[in-house]
Amino acid sequence: MSGDKTGDKILGVDRLTMRFGGIVAVQDLSFAAERTKITALIGPNGAGKTTVFNCITGFYKPTGGTIRLTHDDGRVIALERLNDFRIAKQAKVARTFQNIRLFPGMTALENLMVAQHNALMRASGFTLLGLVGAPVYRDAEKHAIDLATDWLRRVNLLDRADDAAGNLAYGDQRRLEIARAMCTEPALLCLDEPAAGLNARESAALSELLLSIRNDGTSILLIEHDMSVVMEISDHIVVMDHGVKIAQGTPREVRDDPKVIAAYLGTDEEEAAAVMEGGT
Amino acid sequence: MTAPSTNTAKPATGIPALFKTAFINALVALVLFSLMVGIRTEAGSDGQLTYWTRFGELASLVGIVFGGSIVMELLRQWIGPTGTEKLVPPAIRSGMSFVGRYLAPALLIFTLLVPVIFYNQRYILDLAILVLTYVMLGWGLNVVVGLAGLLDLGYVAFYAVGAYSYALLATNFGWSFWVCLPLAGILAAFWGVLLGFPVLRLRGDYLAIVTLAFGEIIRLVIINWQSLTGGPNGVSGIPRPTFFGIPLDNSDDGLAAKLGIEYSSTHRIIFLFYLILALALLTNWVTIRLRRLPIGRAWEALREDEVACRALGINTTTTKLTAFATGAMFGGFAGAFFATRQGFISPESFTFQESALVLAIVVLGGMGSQLGVALAALAMIGGFELFRGLEGYRMLVFGMAMVLIMIWRPRGLIGHRAPTVYLTKAQAISSDLVKEGHG
Ligand SMILES: Nc1ncnc2c1ncn2[C@@H]1O[C@H](COP(=O)(O)OP(=O)(O)OP(=O)(O)O)[C@@H](O)[C@H]1O
Ligand SMILES: [Mg+2]
């Protein structure tokens, strides 16, 4: 097991707390995500899942706690100290949004080109080499187009490459947003409800896409309400309710945990257990 | 509903609704004008209040508003944005796209030939230089407003910085135009960054107000810093540009004498014409190039969605600053040209009205479209001259024309966006999808 880092901790969240005025959205949350695994973060509406994502990806500055990202080469980065764009640029954490955030007036291909901004910026000598049309930059751009084309093919949007992103169907937009995040070549991919609004066939295709991304070596952190997707593809599940972690484990363990059922049904624990027993 | 019909886009408003709108407008006019026009008051000979009524005028004004409302509403429905596409038959539309393809090259060739065609018409040449100056300013502001989506109401500040940079460097140190030109651009870009820093967090209306203030501050500093700028008196005796060191006058070592041709004052005008044309084309070329580079794509992405940009690792701070600096630099170049053309500059040339005019050109042209901005500059500046005969009514006619154009094409003359890169086929992106930017 020399080169294989599978199973190492890539993300360690420790005692994360996020307060908005009086509201405690996340409280003392600790969990870990393993390398090249899919870790799911689930919980009822308002549990604080998106808030955790916003803390990890630098959109919020956590009130307390630490978030550590360990790279392949052993570098450890304190995400709570980096701010917004640096997390995507230096820590290589990419994300999608619960409400799709594409660049609607740009084509699908352009969306994926924008995602490769930092690499292209370096290649264009911070614009100067690009302005004079240096071959270095032209090669880099060709390479970027190739990468974008690959991803368009993988998310089955190659024939829509030159269409405006805003003109794509909802499910296509969701997949394009994932492809755009992948074009930043992330170590950790954070997906906020990627299956929301998809039909059963599209959800199945999404599961397959996420598994293939994982198998290619990208770790995934997933927020999802669609349990068929979560149970099918997750390696590890963390369950939140009212800002705290109430359970974690494999899909099987979590599915049978009375606390989880109670949280989803909105009743207390004993009642839920009684319901479960009565039902079986 | 398979057959194309011109009536499909008709809004649900019928004749009664039309009259209702007109009636309400007339009522508002009646209330407003009854005091403003209907009753006229004046101080009498002993200071007492005298008044008399003018109900005839009041009635005709209300009538005009009533009729005007109906006409406006009808126009809005007939030539409105939803109707245009369907009203135009496919044959004409394909013809228009043909025109569209060759319009830019044709316009460029014509522009190159203007000094030849109108050699002896000083007025036309002067007007052409003015139009080109605004084309260049429009293209410069287009980087900030059209591409990056940052609403800048103080663009004239950079024009002023460029003009004063050249004027002061040339009069105080005797530096030549060609040395001062890049310096003017750099100084303006510097001020662009300086303006950019405090307003980075602001968006939309707030950004607009602060940039507006910045434009005024620069003007007030110029007025009050008498020892440097000459205050309200301005700077005079600014050196004319030279043909790379050879002056364009009737002296013995002037260009005419060197070439052995007879001197004519038109030479200098033509030189200025080609100078501003070259500067404008440089602006255009750089902008088109930048759009296809990562920085230009980041500007447009910023206009579309700033949060998504940050999630992709784009430094939005430097991206905004480069947009401000690039736009300001072109404004500075234009300012230096303005100073050398006029030979005299004063703060009066750099009022808010200039900013508004350049912004109007960008908006009218279609934000982000280079050809649209050029056409809009021609229409605005040329149109303004065209209406000169109307004297007092010039502004009125002009304002009406702008309102009508914006009803007809709310996203400007050329509203659609051309993609910067494509796999198989570049297709224009409809203006409905393209964001205007909010900060
Ligand atoms: N910026 C904010 N300001 C104030 N309160 C916030 C903010 N963001 C989130 N909250 C609050 O934090 C709590 C958790 O919200 P969050 O969006 O993280 O939930 P979620 O688990 O993602 O829910 P959903 O499944 O509906 O997306 C909610 O009560 C929400 O109102
Ligand atoms: Mg959420």
Side-chain angles (χ1 to χ4, degrees):
Chain A
M1 289 275 290
S2 53
D4 190 10
K5 301 261 188 169
T6 302
D8 280 7
K9 197 162 80 169
I10 182 166
L11 181 79
V13 174
D14 194 36
R15 299 183 64 93
L16 177 72
T17 302
M18 184 73 219
R19 263 188 229 111
F20 299 105
I23 304 170
V24 186
V26 178
Q27 187 163 30
D28 274 343
L29 180 78
S30 304
F31 71 91
E34 288 175 9
R35 196 176 302 283
T36 63
K37 291 279 167 67
I38 297 179
T39 308
L41 190 59
I42 64 171
N45 289 111
K49 307 179 297 291
T50 301
T51 306
V52 172
F53 260 39
N54 283 337
C55 290
I56 293 173
T57 52
F59 282 87
Y60 293 158
K61 195 151 188 56
T63 320
T66 58
I67 307 168
R68 294 280 178 272
L69 186 92
T70 314
H71 269 285
D72 270 345
D73 55 11
R75 253 184 327 140
V76 180
I77 301 176
L79 295 188
E80 78 275 8
R81 285 196 219 124
L82 284 183
N83 54 6
D84 62 29
F85 76 94
R86 286 194 187 83
I87 292 195
K89 187 178 176 181
Q90 292 161 11
K92 292 274 161 212
V93 177
R95 73 170 290 177
T96 64
F97 294 87
Q98 190 166 346
N99 311 308
I100 302 175
R101 280 183 171 274
L102 288 167
F103 306 121
M106 302 174 89
T107 66
L109 178 65
E110 281 181 309
N111 268 270
L112 303 194
M113 295 296 281
V114 172
Q116 302 176 59
H117 176 81
N118 288 318
L120 284 174
M121 213 45 189
R122 267 188 308 275
S124 72
F126 298 92
T127 303
L128 289 179
L129 286 176
L131 205 57
V132 296
V136 196
Y137 173 69
R138 264 183 276 151
D139 289 348
E141 188 178 38
K142 211 161 145 282
H143 180 263
I145 293 176
D146 287 344
L147 180 67
T149 313
D150 278 348
W151 275 105
L152 284 170
R153 193 177 293 119
R154 280 184 77 170
V155 298
N156 206 8
L157 285 172
L158 195 55
D159 53 335
R160 307 298 305 268
D162 298 326
D163 286 336
N167 263 343
L168 300 179
Y170 188 81
D172 292 349
Q173 294 198 9
R174 282 253 174 239
R175 290 202 309 283
L176 182 61
E177 206 189 9
I178 296 174
R180 188 180 66 179
M182 286 310 294
C183 278
T184 64
E185 308 197 292
L188 177 67
L189 175 66
C190 301
L191 302 169
D192 198 343
E193 302 199 15
L198 301 191
N199 60 34
R201 197 171 42 81
E202 288 173 324
S203 295
L206 177 78
S207 297
E208 220 159 281
L209 173 69
L210 296 188
L211 285 175
S212 81
I213 289 174
R214 181 198 67 179
N215 293 342
D216 289 348
T218 305
S219 316
I220 296 179
L221 190 61
L222 171 74
I223 294 180
E224 189 48 70
H225 279 301
D226 185 334
M227 284 307 144
S228 64
V229 173
V230 173
M231 293 301 164
E232 187 191 332
I233 66 172
S234 305
D235 298 298
H236 184 77
I237 298 179
V238 176
V239 191
M240 285 180 76
D241 189 21
H242 295 299
V244 296
K245 183 171 78 179
I246 56 168
Q248 67 176 333
T250 61
R252 163 160 238 109
E253 288 162 4
V254 164
R255 182 165 32 198
D256 297 335
D257 191 323
K259 273 190 278 189
V260 177
I261 296 160
Y264 270 93
L265 293 178
T267 52
D268 65 53
E269 209 177 301
E270 278 121 48
E271 245 179 90
V275 169
M276 294 281 293
E277 272 155 33
T280 44
Chain B
M1 293 258 291
T2 44
S5 154
T6 50
N7 287 337
T8 44
K10 197 168 188 164
T13 51
I15 302 291
L18 197 68
F19 275 100
K20 195 178 147 201
T21 320
F23 180 73
I24 292 172
N25 288 347
L27 205 69
V28 171
L30 179 68
V31 172
L32 273 178
F33 290 135
S34 55
L35 286 178
M36 282 161 61
V37 178
I39 302 172
R40 176 87 191 163
T41 55
E42 226 164 66
S45 47
D46 307 328
Q48 86 280 25
L49 186 74
T50 62
Y51 67 93
W52 61 97
T53 55
R54 297 191 296 187
F55 290 136
E57 284 94 332
L58 177 63
S60 53
L61 267 176
V62 172
I64 289 173
V65 169
F66 185 78
S69 302
I70 292 181
V71 172
M72 285 293 280
E73 204 50 41
L74 286 177
L75 279 175
R76 204 197 291 269
Q77 288 179 19
W78 282 340
I79 63 167
T82 43
T84 36
E85 227 68 281
K86 295 182 184 70
L87 277 168
V88 182
I92 295 183
R93 226 180 298 160
S94 72
M96 266 161 70
S97 84
F98 177 83
V99 169
R101 193 150 352 117
Y102 293 105
L103 187 57
L107 219 63
L108 179 62
I109 292 172
F110 176 73
T111 313
L112 281 168
L113 292 178
V114 160
V116 181
I117 301 171
F118 302 103
Y119 184 77
N120 280 325
Q121 283 158 284
R122 173 85 194 251
Y123 170 72
I124 301 247
L125 287 180
D126 274 336
L127 183 60
I129 290 174
L130 193 66
V131 169
L132 282 175
T133 311
Y134 280 97
V135 169
M136 174 160 183
L137 285 171
W139 278 340
L141 185 60
N142 199 20
V143 171
V144 185
V145 178
L147 294 186
L150 303 161
L151 187 53
D152 184 352
L153 286 181
Y155 193 58
V156 75
F158 310 123
Y159 191 41
V161 168
Y164 272 88
S165 303
Y166 171 61
L168 295 176
L169 288 173
T171 50
N172 290 337
F173 303 113
W175 294 359
S176 87
F177 178 75
W178 297 103
V179 174
C180 294
L181 183 70
L183 284 177
I186 290 168
L187 277 169
F190 171 75
W191 282 99
V193 172
L194 223 60
L195 162 69
F197 261 114
V199 303
L200 278 172
R201 287 165 191 287
L202 303 177
R203 303 168 69 92
D205 313 348
Y206 301 99
L207 176 74
I209 288 172
V210 175
T211 52
L212 175 93
F214 185 77
E216 285 301 288
I217 288 170
I218 292 271
R219 196 171 60 90
L220 290 175
V221 167
I222 290 173
I223 290 178
N224 290 301
W225 196 348
Q226 297 234 4
S227 57
L228 181 73
T229 63
N233 300 328
V235 184
S236 54
I238 302 167
R240 301 308 195 141
T242 55
F243 188 80
F244 300 100
I246 309 169
L248 292 154
D249 52 19
N250 58 356
S251 65
D252 282 345
D253 34 62
L255 186 68
K258 289 227 164 127
L259 289 178
I261 52 175
E262 199 183 329
Y263 170 78
S264 151
S265 63
T266 316
H267 291 167
R268 203 186 70 226
I269 306 293
I270 289 176
F271 177 71
L272 284 173
F273 177 89
Y274 283 116
L275 178 60
I276 186 64
L277 182 62
L279 285 174
L281 289 179
L282 175 79
T283 310
N284 185 35
W285 180 81
V286 171
T287 311
I288 288 177
R289 268 248 50 141
L290 285 178
R291 258 196 89 212
R292 297 192 187 133
L293 288 174
I295 186 68
R297 288 203 195 101
W299 288 340
E300 291 202 77
L302 199 66
R303 175 193 69 204
E304 298 281 314
D305 194 325
E306 188 177 339
V307 171
C309 281
R310 277 158 49 198
L312 294 173
I314 295 174
N315 186 341
T316 50
T317 307
T318 52
T319 307
K320 280 187 192 179
L321 287 181
T322 49
F324 267 120
T326 311
M329 182 182 73
F330 293 134
F333 287 157
F337 172 81
F338 177 76
T340 190
R341 176 184 110 114
Q342 299 290 99
F344 164 76
I345 52 169
S346 77
E348 270 164 53
S349 308
F350 307 106
T351 55
F352 169 65
Q353 216 187 333
E354 293 296 304
S355 293
L357 185 58
V358 179
L359 186 65
I361 286 173
V362 174
V363 173
L364 186 68
M367 298 205 282
S369 162
Q370 297 293 98
L371 179 60
V373 168
L375 290 176
L378 184 64
M380 296 272 292
I381 309 300
F384 211 63
E385 287 302 310
L386 216 61
F387 295 139
R388 197 175 271 286
L390 298 173
E391 290 178 7
Y393 294 99
R394 183 157 77 144
M395 269 311 209
L396 192 70
V397 172
F398 195 65
M400 294 260 285
M402 274 212 71
V403 169
L404 286 180
I405 291 177
M406 287 328 272
I407 291 175
W408 172 52
R409 299 220 128 198
R411 296 300 296 261
L413 294 175
I414 299 183
H416 58 74
R417 171 180 178 272
T420 59
V421 59
Y422 59 91
L423 275 191
T424 47
K425 185 166 166 284
Q427 358 179 335
I429 297 167
S430 145
S431 57
D432 311 335
L433 295 170
V434 181
K435 294 266 171 72
E436 284 150 27
H438 297 284

